[in-house]
Every structure is written in structure tokens, then in C-alpha cells.
Amino acid sequence: MGHQVTVKPILLKLKAVADIFRHFANPLLVVGLRLGLLRVPLFLYRINKGTAHYSMLARPTSNSMADLFVLREVFVEETYRDLLPLLGDKPVRVIDVGGNIGSFAVWLHQKKGLREGYCFEPDPTSFNLCRYNLGNNNCGFVQLFPKAVGGTSRHITMRVNTKRPGGNSIYTQTADDSAETARVEVVAFAELLATLSGEFDVLKLECEFDEWEIVDNAPPEVFCRFIVIIAEIHTDSSGRHHVNDFAAWLSEHGFKTLRWDGHEQGLYVGQRLEGR
């Protein structure tokens, strides 16, 4: 049993290295940055997957769950690929809550084409990288906001620039004067939707525990404006919801669950049922 436990992480690391050599330009340099042998604050990763080509500015780090992990997950493993058959042939309209460095929007524009996009990212460093990456990958028309989205509108002090920047959350507040923090505006999801008209093809929620605050506080009718919801789900920080509960929420709001990864930080994909 112990042997099986140790073998799996090794295989995953070997696969990660193989992905880098197969799909990233300058793979030796990328591996050196990942191992901490080379240190620069930012690095322009060039990624090829089939006929698609991406150029993404990101933060090199030796942390296994940082920007390089996201780039591999989105562009190489294409974790959002189940979304594509649900969207038809026309360019799509998207709200991206938790835009991070722009990977999802860039990937979806390359694969399907974006007609209109609204992207929200409260972490200042991630926001600046997201703005650069959108512009550098023909997505400069996407509207980007330095805000978090929640159930109620307010301002908070959020800890930022941790070793795992993609994991920053509006719930990781701190009173520690030595920690890096940012004053962040949180806009209520229902109030946000009131400023926008029409239907959307995709709502993406990848906002580190904040998804439950959003769905608990917004009226059901706002979700009827989306054809597909794709969400990374965590156990509710208040303890009221488990990750498995999101399937029931989707059903109650007129969506059929087409995918659930079955674990913490797993993805749900829900498609709105006809007539709902």
C-alpha cells in the first residue's frame, strides 16, 4: 500500500515534465525555473497544443500549485474541454469569476471564439498579468475588473501574493501587519448581473470558496440567463455545504450536471435544461 502511495506522485511528476518537453518552448529553462534553479520574477511561457499556440506571462515558482500548474491544466490537459460541445458554433458570451492570469478566457477564445467577456480578478498581481495576457492573445476586448464577486457588496482586506497565487481568496483575510494585503472591492453577483443585459453562454466560477456565497445570495432567476455553468467547488467555509451538494443546487436551478470530478476543488459542469 505504501509503495502505491509513493509511486503515484512520482508518475505525476514525470508526466508533468513530459508535458513541458512536449508542449512548452524552451523546456529546459521551464524545468529549471520550476525546480528553483533559476529565479526571475516573471517569465513568458510559450505553449503549443495541436494547432493552438499561446503566449502567457506568469510567475515562475517552485510551488507545485502555482501558475505553471494552471498553464498545464488549462492549455495542455484542457480541463475545460467538456464545455466545448455545449456551446454551438457561434462565438460565445462569458462571465469569468476568478480570472487569475487569464488562462480560461484565452483558451476559450482560441477554441471557440469569444463574442463578449467579463472577467473579475481581485489580486493585483494576477490582475496585471491577466490584462497583459488577454491583450497578448487577441482578447483585449474582454472587459477586466479588479474586483471580487460575492453574495453581498462590500470592501475587504485580502491577503495576496502568497506562494500559491491562484489560491488567494476573499476569505483569507489577515490582521498580520507583515503580510502582503490589498484592499478589495467585492461586488454582489446579483448587482453585477443587473448592470448587464441579455443571456450568456457561460458562467465560470473559480473563486476559492466564494462560489457558495454567490449561489446562496443571488436570486434563482439570475442563473436562468446562463446556458452553461462551470464551477470549481470547495467545501463551504461556513460548514453548511459539502462539495457534493452542488449537484442538487444545479438541479434546483434548472441545470443538469454533466460532469462532477468528485473531490475538493473538482469541476462541475451544468447545462441548463430546455424550457428552464
Side-chain angles (χ1 to χ4, degrees):
M1 185 68 175
H3 178 69
Q4 293 177 347
V5 171
T6 56
V7 167
K8 187 174 180 180
I10 293 173
L11 293 176
L12 290 175
K13 290 178 181 179
L14 290 174
K15 181 183 182 302
V17 172
D19 285 343
I20 289 171
F21 274 84
R22 184 177 180 185
H23 297 288
F24 283 71
N26 303 307
L28 289 174
L29 184 54
V30 173
V31 171
L33 291 166
R34 169 65 181 83
L35 295 176
L37 302 176
L38 304 169
R39 296 184 182 276
V40 294
L42 297 172
F43 183 74
L44 189 65
Y45 293 90
R46 300 186 185 276
I47 307 154
N48 303 303
K49 180 67 185 289
T51 59
H53 305 281
Y54 311 96
S55 180
M56 300 291 293
L57 189 64
R59 296 156 287 205
T61 173
S62 58
N63 187 289
S64 62
M65 298 294 286
D67 289 347
L68 180 59
F69 172 84
V70 174
L71 297 177
R72 284 184 50 246
E73 185 180 54
V74 176
F75 298 120
V76 177
E77 297 176 1
E78 297 193 320
T79 189
Y80 301 112
R81 62 188 176 279
D82 293 339
L83 192 63
L84 300 179
L86 309 177
L87 298 179
D89 298 325
K90 297 180 180 179
V92 296
R93 195 171 186 232
V94 176
I95 292 181
D96 183 358
V97 179
N100 192 238
I101 61 172
S103 302
F104 174 76
V106 168
W107 174 84
L108 190 57
H109 185 55
Q110 179 81 249
K111 290 293 181 179
K112 184 62 65 173
L114 295 181
R115 175 168 63 92
E116 190 175 355
Y118 301 87
C119 187
F120 295 82
E121 176 49 56
D123 174 70
T125 305
S126 295
F127 173 85
N128 288 330
L129 289 172
C130 187
R131 179 169 55 188
Y132 176 87
N133 289 328
L134 290 174
N136 198 42
N137 290 273
N138 303 313
C139 299
F141 59 90
V142 172
Q143 296 189 49
L144 177 61
F145 301 89
K147 302 177 182 181
V149 179
T152 59
S153 293
R154 60 200 188 274
H155 287 81
I156 64 166
T157 299
M158 185 181 81
R159 189 174 65 186
V160 297
N161 292 332
T162 64
K163 292 182 179 179
R164 186 186 171 197
N168 286 335
S169 166
I170 67 171
Y171 296 110
T172 55
Q173 302 174 44
T174 179
D176 182 359
D177 292 337
S178 66
E180 290 187 79
T181 62
R183 193 66 177 164
V184 171
E185 180 182 355
V186 182
V187 58
F189 185 69
E191 295 175 13
L192 163 65
L193 265 292
T195 67
L196 303 172
S197 61
E199 282 202 344
F200 290 84
D201 297 281
V202 180
L203 169 62
K204 177 208 158 217
L205 298 174
E206 200 160 342
C207 40
E208 301 301 322
F209 301 94
D210 192 26
E211 63 276 1
W212 288 112
E213 180 185 323
I214 292 171
V215 301
D216 280 346
N217 287 277
E221 57 268 21
V222 303
F223 298 102
C224 296
R225 295 172 59 184
F226 297 92
I227 296 173
V228 177
I229 295 176
I230 184 164
E232 180 185 88
I233 300 298
H234 309 73
T235 297
D236 182 11
S237 59
S238 71
R240 291 184 299 158
H241 301 293
H242 186 267
V243 289
N244 293 328
D245 296 341
F246 199 72
W249 181 91
L250 285 170
S251 178
E252 291 167 4
H253 288 74
F255 289 82
K256 178 181 179 181
T257 297
L258 301 180
R259 169 181 169 183
W260 165 223
D261 292 347
H263 57 78
E264 186 82 11
Q265 297 182 315
L267 281 182
Y268 275 92
V269 177
Q271 183 180 33
R272 192 177 70 199
L273 297 170
E274 293 186 14
R276 296 297 296 270

